[in-house]
Amino acid sequence: MGIIVFLFIAGAYLLGSISSAVLTCRLFGIADPRHHGSGNPGATNVYRLGGRFPAIIVLIFDMLKGVIPVWGAYFAGLPPVILGAVAISACFGHMFPVFFHFEGGKGVATAFGSVLPIGLDLGGLLIATWIVVLLVTGYSSAAALITALLAPLFTWLIKPEYTLPVSMLACLIILRHHSNITRLWNQTESKILRRRNSRNK
């Protein structure tokens, strides 16, 4: 059992270390997201730099980096705490990718993908929360933070046995967004959505 757990955790980290944002930008001839835009190699920054289609590709692949190892561990019969460790390992790979000089993203899409095996109802609640907060505030970071804060509550209501691993993931996401929290507090964070009337001023 110990060897299996190690293989899943190590495999999740290595899979997470594949930076889909950097690879997609290279494929489409877009500037390196680690050094342009917000400097974050994730779907939101790729959207800013290259538009919708490359960003969708990055979003899907980043989610799969969480879905694949956690679903595999789930079907291997590993307990919820180990599933949480596998999910965190995948997110660590995304945040600190060994293949890309440890310059990674915030891990939101990977974390979301890792909780999808818990249930589509939980996934639907998280997506709805993220969209509502994004539409209200215009900030992708605020949407990610509030969704992360509510994720343990949603999990407890749906499948309480997974509350601890989801809480671990939520804490990781919030810690990774420390610079965004500072910018939101100082009102210097850039919006990904802007109201039409503000554009016409």
Side-chain angles (χ1 to χ4, degrees), residues 47-165:
Y47 174 75
R48 291 191 183 103
L49 296 171
R52 185 176 302 172
F53 183 64
I56 291 174
I57 293 176
V58 172
L59 178 64
I60 291 173
F61 276 91
D62 281 353
M63 287 173 55
L64 288 175
K65 292 192 299 187
V67 170
I68 293 171
V70 173
W71 223 323
Y74 176 83
F75 282 110
L78 299 180
V81 173
I82 301 301
L83 295 183
V86 171
I88 288 174
S89 185
C91 289
F92 260 111
H94 178 83
M95 295 174 181
F96 309 103
V98 67
F99 304 128
F100 293 87
H101 309 290
F102 302 101
E103 298 176 350
K106 299 296 174 67
V108 176
T110 303
F112 174 72
S114 68
V115 303
L116 279 182
I118 296 177
L120 295 179
D121 44 2
L122 175 60
L125 278 173
L126 295 177
I127 290 174
T129 301
W130 188 89
I131 291 174
V132 168
V133 177
L134 179 65
L135 292 175
V136 170
T137 67
Y139 294 109
S140 175
S141 56
L145 285 165
I146 292 177
T147 303
L149 285 170
L150 291 175
L153 174 61
F154 293 156
T155 306
W156 180 74
L157 293 172
I158 295 171
K159 286 190 178 179
E161 65 269 26
Y162 292 100
T163 303
L164 177 59

Side-chain angles (χ1 to χ4, degrees), residues 17 22 32 61 68 104 128 133 147 150 171 179 194:
S17 290
V22 175
D32 191 327
F61 276 91
I68 293 171
V133 177
T147 303
L150 291 175
C171 289
S179 59
R194 296 184 183 274

Side-chain angles (χ1 to χ4, degrees), residues 141 145 174-175 177-186 189:
S141 56
L145 285 165
I174 293 169
L175 287 173
H177 279 75
H178 62 91
S179 59
N180 300 90
I181 294 172
T182 300
R183 289 194 296 269
L184 286 168
W185 180 262
N186 295 329
E189 180 78 319

